[in-house]
Amino acid sequence: MSGTRTLISPATLARPRGRALYWTVFTAVVLLFALAFLFPVYWMVTGALKSPDEVARTPPTLVPEQWHTGGYTDAWDLMQLPRHLLNTLVQAAGAWAFQLVFCTAAAYALSKLKPAFGKVVLGGILATLMVPAQALVVPKYLTVADLPFLHTSLLNDPLAIWLPAVANAFNLYLLKRFFDQLPRDVLEAAEIDGAGKLRILWSVVLPMSRPVLGVVSIFALVAVWQDFLWPLMVFSDTGKQPISVALVQLSQNIQLTVLIAAMVIASIPMVALFLVFQRHIIAGITAGSTKG
């Protein structure tokens, strides 16, 4: 029976001095990591509460000398954040729905239906991961500017965000790998009971795939929320631009404190999303990693 190898032996931890040293180092490391991650957030939130002169002061102040909450209200009104946040929400929700439906269907077909040349198709899909995203910008733009066969333009239309988001090889492969891990006995039992392929997907596979569907949903929403280059190209109408583009376009004549406040407000939805669904994210990442 082999013991577990650790940096500190159990005998050292059994001694009071060794145990105190261990917990001191452990606490210091945790505090340093927490400070490294939380300090930028604190700096951004408090920066919006300072006066413009105090923000530009050298050396900077850690705590605002006077608390000015007007930066957040000015950002909300002057930069038209409600409209751009709504635009971003519509674009992210549509991309999420399209991606969840089509990627799930494709992954299920490749994993369980075993189509002809399925491995070739999967290899072609995975090969797109080796193509830099910047190399696809021009072909994508020409496609949405003049949609093949229909000869219509999708510029300044949410479909220009939704349709390209469907072609996500990473999320498709993540779903397929999870479907490969599902117990075959459960699917065969449903088939014996008379369930068809679509019914098995809806009633058996999807309920068992909630963890990985949560992870794919997070990836899909964050990808659209933080994207800048593609929305900048397809939305020339400022009234339809998402928050990532609007912050840059409207920041020319805006005070620095107001711009910082706008960035804080724009980051709140994604931070809240991670805090609410962190348990599902961890479950989805670890799902299928062990068998038995």
Side-chain angles (χ1 to χ4, degrees):
M1 182 177 179
S2 59
T4 303
R5 302 183 64 181
T6 60
L7 294 175
I8 302 177
S9 65
T12 303
L13 287 176
R15 303 189 190 99
R17 183 178 178 181
R19 188 162 52 250
L21 180 62
Y22 169 78
W23 284 110
T24 300
V25 175
F26 177 79
T27 304
V29 171
V30 171
L31 290 177
L32 286 175
F33 272 94
L35 182 63
F37 283 101
L38 295 179
F39 183 75
V41 178
Y42 166 81
W43 188 260
M44 185 169 63
V45 173
T46 57
L49 297 172
K50 299 177 181 178
S51 64
D53 294 335
E54 187 179 358
V55 170
R57 184 183 303 174
T58 303
T61 56
L62 290 177
V63 180
E65 295 178 350
Q66 292 183 346
W67 299 80
H68 301 272
T69 59
Y72 288 97
T73 56
D74 290 343
W76 187 261
D77 296 330
L78 296 178
M79 304 191 72
Q80 302 176 342
L81 293 187
R83 173 190 293 181
H84 297 294
L85 285 172
L86 179 61
N87 293 340
T88 310
L89 180 62
V90 171
Q91 295 167 21
W96 164 77
F98 271 77
Q99 196 170 138
L100 211 61
V101 171
F102 289 100
C103 285
T104 300
Y108 176 71
L110 292 172
S111 175
K112 298 303 180 185
L113 303 186
K114 305 296 183 183
F117 306 107
K119 292 184 178 180
V120 177
V121 173
L122 179 62
I125 293 174
L126 295 180
T128 61
L129 293 174
M130 295 182 286
V131 181
Q134 294 78 4
L136 301 176
V137 170
V138 174
K140 283 199 304 181
Y141 182 82
L142 295 177
T143 301
V144 300
D146 185 13
L147 203 63
F149 304 109
L150 299 179
H151 298 292
T152 183
S153 175
L154 297 181
L155 299 180
N156 292 313
D157 192 307
L159 285 172
I161 302 293
W162 298 348
L163 296 182
V166 174
N168 192 305
F170 177 78
N171 285 346
L172 189 150
Y173 182 70
L174 192 65
L175 288 164
K176 180 189 178 299
R177 290 295 299 169
F178 185 89
F179 292 160
D180 290 340
Q181 302 287 337
L182 294 179
R184 182 172 295 275
D185 296 342
V186 177
L187 304 182
E188 291 177 350
E191 192 172 355
I192 292 174
D193 290 339
K197 300 298 184 182
L198 187 60
R199 181 62 183 272
I200 292 175
L201 172 64
W202 181 259
S203 301
V204 180
V205 175
L206 291 184
M208 297 174 65
S209 305
R210 288 176 182 172
V212 72
L213 291 177
V215 173
V216 170
S217 299
I218 295 294
F219 288 164
L221 292 172
V222 171
V224 176
W225 202 276
Q226 70 179 5
D227 195 10
F228 172 76
L229 179 60
W230 182 243
L232 177 65
M233 295 180 64
V234 298
F235 287 107
S236 58
D237 187 351
T238 55
K240 298 181 179 180
Q241 290 176 345
I243 190 68
S244 59
V245 178
L247 287 178
V248 177
Q249 299 283 51
L250 300 176
S251 63
Q252 304 301 324
N253 300 316
I254 297 294
Q255 289 184 348
L256 181 58
T257 53
V258 177
L259 179 59
I260 295 175
M263 292 190 295
V264 173
I265 296 174
S267 62
I268 288 176
M270 287 297 99
V271 174
L273 188 68
F274 275 102
L275 292 178
V276 172
F277 295 102
Q278 59 179 334
R279 182 170 57 89
H280 300 280
I281 296 172
I282 297 173
I285 293 174
T286 58
S289 58
T290 58
K291 292 183 180 181

